[in-house]
Amino acid sequence: MKRFILFGAPGSGKGTMGERIQRDFGFARIATGDILRAEIERGSAEGRQARAHMDSGGLVPDELVIEMVRRRLQAGDLDGGYVMDGYPRTLRQAEALSQVPCDGEKAVFIEVDEEQAVGRLLSRLTCRECGAIYNRANKPPLRPGICDVCGGAVEPRRDDNEQSVRERFRVYAERTLPVIEYYHRLGVLARIDGNGPAGPVYERLRGLIA
Ligand code: ADP
Ligand code: ZN
């Protein structure tokens, strides 16, 4: 099975691109942020442990995330390939993932200007139920506050506020840039320009998968 890893700063569009890849290529999508938010909604012990870290913009502890991904990778839906969004984010997570065999691994670094990424995050709205992504400015849900896909509540994510966004960028630079460098050294990393509207960014990305 093929493994495709999306890297990029918060607000770089990993989630949007991952959803499109899932839709067009039939890949399973593993987004650790979504899995963690689902745990919080369910009120599980893991969700309770993760919540404060996520709200402040810090990382959830490696052991918890690595174990969660290990379980997810045991599900039977990965044979057609899978795309990872938001994992690995630390060198320890990358190390853990490297123990999971696959027949072809590619990583893509979606590069965006920080200004643009922050702007996107602060105008972003997401569905609490299914994680669908909207934007106050150019892609609001058809009915205000209600998800087009599932009818769930659409609102700003709890961590899409200035303070948490600033911390997410800091942590990204400190912990995740070295992971991107690690995949670069492995020789499996491509870079694409993630600035501008999603359509053209996705066209650039598609070319790397097909
Ligand atoms: P973004 O990329 O915009 O920060 P995500 O939904 O990917 O959004 O992640 C939201 C939060 O979930 C992160 O700020 C972090 O607290 C937590 N998280 C997600 N993935 C990981 C991971 N691989 N390791 C540790 N924490 C994670
Ligand atoms: Zn929804």
Side-chain angles (χ1 to χ4, degrees):
M1 79 195 71
K2 287 206 169 67
R3 177 157 68 219
F4 204 76
I5 305 171
L6 294 175
F7 286 113
S12 60
K14 299 186 297 294
T16 302
M17 295 303 137
E19 282 173 5
R20 292 189 185 201
I21 293 170
Q22 178 180 35
R23 185 190 66 198
D24 294 351
F25 293 88
F27 282 16
R29 174 166 168 261
I30 302 179
T32 43
D34 286 356
I35 298 173
L36 288 163
R37 280 184 290 276
E39 292 300 324
I40 292 175
E41 288 284 310
R42 286 200 313 131
S44 70
E46 286 179 332
R48 283 198 300 277
Q49 227 190 307
R51 185 174 188 145
H53 298 286
M54 294 175 73
D55 283 352
S56 68
L59 292 181
V60 173
D62 278 335
E63 309 78 69
L64 196 160
V65 181
I66 289 171
E67 172 57 20
M68 228 174 53
V69 171
R70 193 190 62 76
R71 286 200 309 263
R72 176 65 185 86
L73 288 170
Q74 283 170 352
D77 62 337
L78 307 179
D79 291 347
Y82 57 98
V83 54
M84 306 207 91
D85 157 3
Y87 187 91
R89 256 176 158 93
T90 66
L91 287 170
R92 248 189 86 196
Q93 293 175 14
E95 180 84 1
L97 186 62
S98 73
Q99 308 296 311
V100 181
C102 69
D103 14 274
E105 182 171 61
K106 274 192 187 176
V108 176
F109 180 14
I110 306 172
E111 295 186 285
V112 283
D113 299 337
E114 183 162 333
E115 291 282 282
Q116 190 165 139
V118 171
R120 285 178 185 173
L121 292 173
L122 297 180
S123 67
R124 175 164 80 175
L125 301 168
T126 56
C127 173
R128 282 182 72 123
E129 299 298 324
C130 75
I133 301 162
Y134 301 89
N135 186 293
R136 260 191 272 270
N138 49 39
K139 197 195 169 216
L142 297 173
R143 287 173 297 164
I146 300 170
C147 180
D148 300 351
V149 182
C150 79
V154 171
E155 48 192 42
R157 237 169 67 179
R158 289 168 55 86
D159 57 346
D160 283 344
N161 59 74
E162 275 198 64
Q163 194 181 353
S164 163
V165 164
R166 216 176 308 120
E167 180 64 4
R168 277 149 69 199
F169 274 90
R170 197 191 63 73
V171 169
Y172 164 75
E174 181 181 302
R175 309 294 302 280
T176 308
L177 284 179
V179 181
I180 299 174
E181 178 56 27
Y182 165 88
Y183 282 88
H184 172 66
R185 282 199 306 270
L186 282 180
V188 298
L189 185 79
R191 291 162 195 269
I192 60 166
D193 179 1
N195 291 298
V201 175
Y202 183 57
E203 288 312 311
R204 296 193 276 277
L205 183 61
R206 259 179 99 87
L208 297 170
I209 306 172

